[in-house]
Amino acid sequence: MEAFIAIPLVIIGSVFGLWLAIKLIGVIGTVAIHIFRFIGGEITDLLRIVGSIITGLVFVPLVLFSVLIGRWSASAHYGRALQAETKAAGLAAYRCLVGHPLRLVGAQALLEGIEQRVPEAMAGAPTRDKPTKRSGKFDGYMIVGSLAGGGSGGKLYVAEPDAIKRASFERSGAGEVDQVVIKSFSLQDGSSLPQIVRESRSLDAAKKLGLVLDHQLDGE
């Protein structure tokens, strides 16, 4: 009788032991994967930091040389590239010091605000509310605010046209225009000449389609 009771207990004990062993192996495997990901991420980002530093050291003399010979568009272009390398190095350093360690201990939820919501809010933030003195003024318009810049690098300003501009818009069939959005590209603010030329051509076509009220191109 005892043998009949012992056999099922042995079977149940064996099944439970096997299940426990499988679970333990799974836990060990998960921990090992996290550790390997942590080590791999740290090594990769350390290499990114070194690579960004080396690349930045190449861009610095290019910026300085372009300034010395008066190639302002080129200096702004290389300056933006240097800024991008600095940003990449900073993000890699953040991941090495904060991101990877927190993910290793399963606290990645703490990073959602910093890594997702903060960048989204910063990307959607308006630019400066007034143009810089280097950009000049927009004749016939009073700047009253700004919008977040687009991917093309232009500055977006909210403006109110003066009486003369409003009258010209009405004569052109645009109706009553109380506010407009001004998209500005300037060499002095870091835009490149190819960007300005492309934008000018597209704006000319858009004006013919009635999508743009006004546009102009000057030396800056």
Side-chain angles (χ1 to χ4, degrees), residues 19 33 36 38-39 44 61 80 84 92 100 119 128 130 141-142 145 147 169 171 173 182 212 214:
W19 175 83
I33 290 173
F36 282 125
F38 169 76
I39 296 174
T44 300
R80 287 191 296 271
H100 297 313
R128 62 172 68 242
K130 299 290 183 181
Y141 299 96
M142 181 177 68
L147 300 173
F169 292 151
R171 288 195 300 269
I182 297 177
V212 174
D214 192 12

Side-chain angles (χ1 to χ4, degrees), residues 51-69 71 74-86:
S52 293
I53 292 174
I54 294 173
T55 306
L57 292 176
V58 174
F59 283 130
V60 168
L62 291 174
V63 172
L64 296 177
F65 180 72
S66 298
V67 171
L68 288 176
I69 64 176
R71 294 183 59 192
S75 66
H77 171 73
Y78 292 130
R80 287 191 296 271
L82 178 60
Q83 185 179 17
E85 292 299 328
T86 303

Side-chain angles (χ1 to χ4, degrees), residues 21-145:
I22 293 173
K23 286 292 184 180
L24 185 60
I25 292 172
V27 171
I28 294 174
T30 301
V31 171
I33 290 173
H34 278 292
I35 292 174
F36 282 125
R37 284 179 178 172
F38 169 76
I39 296 174
E42 290 284 304
I43 294 174
T44 300
D45 280 319
L46 285 173
L47 292 175
R48 284 196 182 103
I49 293 172
V50 174
S52 293
I53 292 174
I54 294 173
T55 306
L57 292 176
V58 174
F59 283 130
V60 168
L62 291 174
V63 172
L64 296 177
F65 180 72
S66 298
V67 171
L68 288 176
I69 64 176
R71 294 183 59 192
W72 307 114
S73 296
S75 66
H77 171 73
Y78 292 130
R80 287 191 296 271
L82 178 60
Q83 185 179 17
E85 292 299 328
T86 303
K87 180 180 178 181
L91 290 174
Y94 157 78
R95 289 191 294 267
C96 284
L97 297 175
V98 179
H100 297 313
L102 286 180
R103 286 188 175 87
L104 178 64
V105 298
Q108 59 267 25
L110 295 174
L111 303 175
E112 290 181 359
I114 296 176
E115 294 184 352
Q116 297 177 20
R117 294 189 291 275
V118 171
E120 289 175 359
M122 293 178 66
T127 57
R128 62 172 68 242
D129 287 340
K130 299 290 183 181
T132 61
K133 292 182 179 179
R134 295 178 302 178
S135 300
K137 297 181 179 180
F138 304 105
D139 293 335
Y141 299 96
M142 181 177 68
I143 306 298
V144 296

Side-chain angles (χ1 to χ4, degrees), residues 149-204:
S152 58
K155 305 295 184 182
L156 301 180
Y157 302 106
V158 180
E160 294 179 354
D162 61 15
I164 298 175
K165 284 289 184 182
R166 295 187 187 195
S168 67
F169 292 151
E170 290 184 5
R171 288 195 300 269
S172 65
E176 295 184 4
V177 179
D178 295 324
Q179 283 190 338
V180 298
V181 173
I182 297 177
K183 187 175 186 180
S184 170
F185 287 83
S186 172
L187 293 176
Q188 297 297 328
D189 282 343
S191 299
S192 66
L193 188 58
Q195 282 179 328
I196 295 174
V197 172
R198 285 196 302 268
E199 192 73 12
S200 178
R201 290 173 178 172
S202 63
L203 285 176
D204 188 47

